[in-house]
Amino acid sequence: MRILLFCENRYAIDILNPLQEYVTDNNLPHEVMWYIHKPKISTFEYASKVRWTNSIQEAYDFSPEAVFVPGNIVPYYLPGVKIQVFHGYAAEKKDHWIIRRYFDTYFTQGPYFTSHFKALSEEYGDFEVVETGWPKQDWIKRNLHTYDAERQRLLDSTGRKRIILYAPTFSPKLTSLPLEGMKERLGELAERNDALVVMKFHPLTRKEWADEYRAWAESKDNVMFVNQGENITKYQLMSDVLISDTSSTVYEFLLLSRPVITVRTIAKDIYWENTATPDGLEEAYRRAMNDPEAIARRQWIVDNYDPYLDGHVCERMLNAAADYIRRHGVPNKRRLNLWRKYTSVKTFGFVKKK
């Protein structure tokens, strides 16, 4: 099977790399090519190890049979079964449920998502839904304790007992970054609970906000600012508690069965602790750490959002892709309206067809 791993945004690389690793580690006879969208991704850390291109023409000439996409859009003119694998678990964001007609099949993370997308599949009638789990969870399972030593070095060097990760979203309408008192309450929470606050911001965070928090961190001995280009999953695995707002990292952290606190989240169904203002962080922290009901709510997320923490997600995905091709053949085109075609071409350009 010729597989194209399609990356429009930087975060897609970490989501799709477990598929590459599974193929490589098991010596599978698949051909794998990466498409790296140069306007949004300046560097590709696996460039010397894998076959890749930032030319959409080369991606087309590769003639993929399966295209894995953790994003909302993929060029309609690429051949192959186009597979939506999602860029996270943020179900409260409206665009998570929009059907844009680019995809032949959706590989869902767990029962909650499967039920919703199967209903949409019946409504639209032109895509399938397969519950596989999320590929990044395979990487997490393999690396669950990879950073234990680095975590301990951080704690020893700062004299702290635990790590609180602050990972807000970048969206100006949703982020907690500009809220009055946010920095001060974070610092107080760290001091009262003998913790180190590690701040990891999204690469698209406004520069002025990132610069403000970076300067603040440099003045504190219990706050650390992490380069925005680093992999957040590493710091999730190193941390004891997450503070965020409306971000898919909330669900990724909950799937580790660890406490989460949000500030002014827009989520309708909240399975963690939420506070309307930074002033409520201390009380929310206490509940998240000690309340049995809070622990039970976190378990509901594991059971319904993504129970596939067995390390076999990539295997299921590749088998499901092969099964789709076996039943339907390799699709050559999708039924799209002119607007979707225009959006696709505007984003990725034209190709010369064979």
Side-chain angles (χ1 to χ4, degrees):
M1 186 163 53
R2 290 184 302 279
I3 298 169
L4 183 66
L5 303 179
F6 194 89
C7 301
E8 179 188 0
N9 294 288
R10 175 66 184 79
Y11 58 71
I13 296 172
D14 294 328
I15 296 170
L16 293 178
N17 190 52
L19 283 163
Q20 174 74 71
E21 291 183 341
Y22 181 78
V23 170
T24 302
D25 293 347
N26 291 279
N27 297 310
L28 299 180
H30 304 306
E31 294 180 62
V32 180
M33 175 184 277
W34 291 72
Y35 170 73
I36 304 297
H37 193 49
K38 191 174 182 179
K40 293 185 178 180
I41 307 174
S42 57
T43 59
F44 179 42
E45 58 265 45
Y46 304 115
S48 63
K49 300 178 181 179
V50 300
R51 182 180 180 183
W52 71 283
T53 182
N54 52 32
S55 164
I56 200 65
Q57 182 68 54
E58 287 186 28
Y60 173 80
D61 292 342
F62 178 61
S63 191
E65 295 170 287
V67 185
F68 289 86
V69 187
N72 295 329
I73 182 173
V74 61
Y76 72 93
Y77 46 74
L78 286 178
V81 52
K82 297 175 183 66
I83 304 165
Q84 168 66 268
V85 300
F86 301 100
H87 57 268
Y89 300 91
E92 68 275 5
K93 294 183 178 180
K94 293 180 180 179
D95 66 352
H96 193 89
W97 308 105
I98 295 175
I99 303 301
R100 296 174 174 85
R101 313 304 281 267
Y102 291 112
F103 300 99
D104 300 293
T105 184
Y106 287 65
F107 287 179
T108 53
Q109 307 98 315
Y112 177 82
F113 298 98
T114 303
S115 61
H116 284 68
F117 278 105
K118 280 195 171 181
L120 290 167
S121 175
E122 293 175 4
E123 177 183 345
Y124 284 84
D126 64 349
F127 65 87
E128 296 184 357
V129 178
V130 182
E131 189 173 294
T132 60
W134 198 45
K136 198 172 177 181
Q137 290 295 344
D138 283 1
W139 185 92
I140 290 172
K141 181 176 177 60
R142 289 196 304 275
N143 291 278
L144 195 58
H145 298 290
T146 298
Y147 305 104
D148 286 359
E150 184 173 348
R151 164 191 159 84
Q152 194 57 51
R153 285 194 297 271
L154 260 183
L155 293 174
D156 290 344
S157 65
T158 59
R160 304 289 165 172
K161 293 183 178 179
R162 59 188 59 84
I163 294 175
I164 298 173
L165 175 63
Y166 178 46
T169 189
F170 70 92
S171 170
K173 292 183 179 180
L174 303 177
T175 185
S176 54
L177 282 169
L179 295 181
E180 183 179 355
M182 191 67 206
K183 295 192 298 295
E184 292 77 9
R185 300 296 89 77
L186 280 172
E188 291 168 5
L189 184 68
E191 195 61 37
R192 289 173 182 160
N193 294 280
D194 204 11
L196 170 68
V197 172
V198 173
M199 300 191 298
K200 173 66 180 71
F201 293 174
H202 192 285
L204 297 180
T205 299
R206 283 184 179 177
K207 184 177 184 301
E208 61 266 31
W209 290 341
D211 289 346
E212 177 186 343
Y213 275 81
R214 183 186 291 107
W216 176 67
E218 290 173 355
S219 71
K220 309 288 287 185
D221 62 4
N222 59 354
V223 181
M224 184 178 87
F225 189 93
V226 174
N227 185 300
Q228 288 169 253
E230 288 196 51
N231 182 356
I232 190 173
T233 310
K234 166 185 173 179
Y235 293 96
Q236 289 174 333
L237 297 179
M238 291 169 61
S239 300
D240 301 282
V241 182
L242 171 70
I243 296 176
S244 188
D245 30 56
T246 302
S247 170
S248 62
T249 193
V250 165
Y251 300 97
E252 293 178 41
F253 203 82
L254 285 171
L255 290 170
L256 296 171
S257 295
R258 297 176 189 176
V260 169
I261 302 162
T262 55
V263 181
R264 209 178 60 175
T265 185
I266 67 166
K268 294 181 180 179
D269 299 315
I270 300 176
Y271 298 93
W272 52 89
E273 299 307 311
N274 181 62
T275 174
T277 68
D279 290 339
L281 278 175
E282 185 69 41
E283 175 60 22
Y285 181 88
R286 184 193 62 77
R287 292 196 306 268
M289 297 296 287
N290 302 304
D291 187 354
E293 291 186 10
I295 297 171
R297 289 197 300 271
R298 293 201 293 271
Q299 187 58 45
W300 188 94
I301 287 290
V302 173
D303 295 340
N304 290 275
Y305 270 52
D306 192 344
Y308 298 102
L309 312 179
D310 56 4
H312 296 291
V313 174
C314 292
E315 179 182 0
R316 281 190 291 271
M317 284 189 161
L318 292 173
N319 288 341
D323 179 64
Y324 185 99
I325 294 170
R326 179 185 59 78
R327 290 183 290 110
H328 300 291
V330 179
N332 290 317
K333 60 182 179 180
R334 287 282 298 165
R335 186 179 63 197
L336 287 173
N337 62 33
L338 288 176
W339 172 251
R340 295 299 184 193
K341 289 184 177 181
Y342 167 76
T343 302
S344 181
V345 171
K346 183 180 179 182
T347 305
F348 301 105
F350 290 100
V351 295
K352 294 181 180 178
K353 297 188 177 182
K354 298 177 180 178

